[in-house]
Amino acid sequence: RMYKRQTICRRDIDNLNVPFLAIYESLIPPEEEKVKQTQLLALLKKLVSKEWPEAQLYIYGSCANSFGVSKSDIDICLAIEEANMEKSDILMKLADILQSDNLQNVQALTRARVPIVKLMDPATGISCDICINNLLAVVNTKLLWDYAQIDARLRQLAFIIKHWAKSRGVNETYHGTLSSYAYVLMCIHFLQQRRPAILPCLQEMESTYSVKVDNVNCAYFDKVRTLADFGRPNKETIAQLVWGFFYYWAYCHDYANSVISVRTGSIISKREKDWTRRVGNDRHLICIEDPFEISHDLGRVVDKRSIKVLREEFERAADIMQYDPNPCVKLFEPY
Ligand code: GTP
Ligand code: MG
């Protein structure tokens, strides 16, 4: 089902820059939220270190990758070496430790796909999820953060795409649509593909940062301050990029054969990855390669029903960007 449309863009597209930037600005978390997050992290560190002096706590996910909108929950990773303890026992013990202080609704969810302790801090109103030893998530959080430092358009585009996905109900992995992490990777890949490119491929450059986590070598160029002018030659505006993003996923992406890969800064073939058929629950109907766990397709949650929903949403959004008199309202209408 590949069909091309005329690649025309509306003549008044750049009238949409101001309203899109206003939406972006309205989603940025205020400074006091950061302060509260830091306070909560300090409290948790204090409680955890009493029991496990060697353990570390890291913030990951949207509160640390710079793609978090206002009022996001925080994702925390407890890094701990407890050779003799089952993960579920660590979680139960952690829940116990935290329960004893003035935190609310502390719950250990030991049977979840990613087992966590959930809690709410009444002092700050912040909810948080704590997982154990998920250090790859800490490293991919840094990669996303580093990409965001290179060109301001990445953060703007990703905020708008995440806001669209949440408004349209297509940011729910348990319903077969994509995670926020997947959408941000789609945005990075899209900006790597512009000509001239707006983002480089950090993993193809000389590595200045390198760690080995769970037997995966994570290495890339992280001196991103030196890349502040990288995207300059490309003058595309945020409105053009939002339109281009939806247009790409509606009418240009080859769903049957292609995998998008931030790691290589290019499109690679499903055949090359052996992602051409269903294996277990992984259907590979939309393929987004994880930058470090390269056997991991972030589109694996998408099934026969939800791929249809997703593609219809991309087409709806592309058509709104093309024809609607007021895209900044229509695009985000609740489904
Ligand atoms: P919101 O909470 O929706 O604002 O976004 P988020 O950036 O926190 O994203 P999400 O909840 O999707 O994921 C949180 C973090 O978990 C991501 O930033 C990644 O670091 C990590 N993560 C999520 N899904 C995966 C996955 O399938 N594989 C890996 N390796 N990491 C993941
Ligand atoms: Mg999150």
Side-chain angles (χ1 to χ4, degrees), residues 60-65 67-69 72-75 113 134 136-142 144 162 166 171 173 178-182 184 290-293 296-298 300-301:
Y60 71 101
S62 62
C63 290
N65 65 19
F67 297 102
V69 301
S72 300
D73 295 350
I74 28 184
D75 300 303
R113 194 176 54 86
N134 188 5
L136 273 170
V138 176
V139 177
N140 68 38
T141 293
K142 173 175 158 58
L144 266 46
K162 274 178 69 171
K166 285 183 205 286
N171 178 209
T173 47
L178 299 169
S179 67
S180 298
Y181 178 56
V184 175
D290 187 273
F292 299 121
E293 288 177 279
H296 199 151
D297 176 8
L298 295 165
R300 71 194 180 286
V301 291

Side-chain angles (χ1 to χ4, degrees), residues 13-117:
I13 184 90
D14 281 327
N15 293 347
L16 302 176
N17 285 322
V18 170
F20 272 134
L21 288 175
I23 293 171
Y24 163 68
E25 302 280 345
S26 73
L27 295 168
I28 296 176
E31 198 49 42
E32 63 258 30
E33 275 188 32
K34 286 268 160 258
V35 175
K36 287 179 177 174
Q37 288 169 7
T38 314
Q39 278 171 3
L40 176 56
L41 185 67
L43 169 65
L44 296 173
K45 277 186 173 156
K46 200 181 85 192
L47 295 172
V48 166
S49 68
K50 275 188 204 154
E51 181 70 34
W52 293 299
E54 309 282 285
Q56 298 281 334
L57 286 178
Y58 299 99
I59 297 194
Y60 71 101
S62 62
C63 290
N65 65 19
S66 85
F67 297 102
V69 301
S70 186
K71 309 210 168 56
S72 300
D73 295 350
I74 28 184
D75 300 303
I76 293 180
C77 167
L78 172 67
I80 183 170
E81 285 176 46
E82 272 279 16
N84 307 321
M85 238 174 131
E86 292 282 334
K87 206 178 236 183
S88 57
D89 295 328
I90 300 178
L91 283 166
M92 305 278 260
K93 185 153 185 181
L94 177 64
D96 240 30
I97 296 166
L98 301 177
Q99 202 99 56
S100 57
D101 208 79
N102 39 6
L103 295 166
Q104 273 179 12
N105 307 340
V106 183
Q107 268 180 300
L109 308 181
T110 53
R111 288 148 178 253
R113 194 176 54 86
V114 179
I116 53 169
V117 169

Side-chain angles (χ1 to χ4, degrees), residues 284-320:
H284 306 302
L285 300 174
I286 175 172
C287 295
I288 303 159
E289 183 194 58
D290 187 273
F292 299 121
E293 288 177 279
I294 63 172
S295 64
H296 199 151
D297 176 8
L298 295 165
R300 71 194 180 286
V301 291
V302 176
D303 58 31
K304 240 159 82 184
R305 189 198 56 83
S306 60
I307 187 68
K308 198 158 163 281
V309 172
L310 263 177
R311 294 187 62 171
E312 282 169 5
E313 283 297 330
F314 289 135
E315 287 170 27
R316 173 188 179 274
D319 293 348
I320 289 171

Side-chain angles (χ1 to χ4, degrees), residues 115-330:
I116 53 169
V117 169
K118 261 184 136 27
L119 60 87
M120 212 276 279
D121 173 30
T124 58
I126 302 176
S127 298
C128 85
D129 292 350
I130 308 176
C131 67
I132 313 280
N133 292 341
N134 188 5
L135 288 168
L136 273 170
V138 176
V139 177
N140 68 38
T141 293
K142 173 175 158 58
L143 179 72
L144 266 46
W145 191 89
D146 283 329
Y147 269 114
Q149 307 314 302
I150 301 170
D151 194 289
R153 288 170 288 186
L154 170 59
R155 193 166 177 234
Q156 296 164 355
L157 178 66
F159 268 54
I160 290 165
I161 300 303
K162 274 178 69 171
H163 183 50
W164 163 83
K166 285 183 205 286
S167 310
R168 300 299 301 169
V170 288
N171 178 209
E172 298 176 51
T173 47
Y174 45 88
H175 288 146
T177 54
L178 299 169
S179 67
S180 298
Y181 178 56
Y183 282 112
V184 175
L185 292 173
M186 289 159 81
C187 291
I188 295 173
H189 174 261
F190 176 72
L191 298 183
Q192 287 176 330
Q193 295 293 299
R194 304 313 288 167
R195 291 297 172 262
I198 294 178
L199 291 177
C201 174
L202 296 176
Q203 287 171 275
E204 293 272 281
M205 297 167 66
E206 174 206 356
S207 61
T208 53
Y209 169 82
S210 167
V211 286
K212 192 166 181 178
V213 180
D214 303 344
N215 270 319
V216 181
N217 281 319
C218 306
Y220 65 94
F221 182 81
D222 77 335
K223 302 270 172 281
V224 285
R225 264 184 305 175
T226 65
L227 298 173
D229 293 327
F230 184 91
R232 280 273 174 86
N234 183 311
K235 306 291 183 207
E236 287 177 293
T237 64
I238 186 63
Q240 291 167 357
L241 293 170
V242 171
W243 178 82
F245 179 91
F246 288 128
Y247 187 86
Y248 173 78
W249 287 100
Y251 302 117
C252 307
H253 183 70
D254 182 357
Y255 288 80
N257 301 299
S258 296
V259 176
I260 65 154
S261 164
V262 164
R263 170 182 62 102
T264 60
S266 67
I267 285 181
I268 55 188
S269 79
K270 283 198 195 182
R271 226 175 327 111
E272 190 180 316
K273 303 215 51 127
D274 203 16
W275 283 355
T276 50
R277 64 213 138 73
R278 176 172 173 171
V279 178
N281 258 338
D282 291 11
R283 296 172 181 81
H284 306 302
L285 300 174
I286 175 172
C287 295
I288 303 159
E289 183 194 58
D290 187 273
F292 299 121
E293 288 177 279
I294 63 172
S295 64
H296 199 151
D297 176 8
L298 295 165
R300 71 194 180 286
V301 291
V302 176
D303 58 31
K304 240 159 82 184
R305 189 198 56 83
S306 60
I307 187 68
K308 198 158 163 281
V309 172
L310 263 177
R311 294 187 62 171
E312 282 169 5
E313 283 297 330
F314 289 135
E315 287 170 27
R316 173 188 179 274
D319 293 348
I320 289 171
M321 288 302 292
Q322 181 83 62
Y323 302 112
D324 197 87
N326 200 353
C328 293
V329 174
K330 196 64 183 252

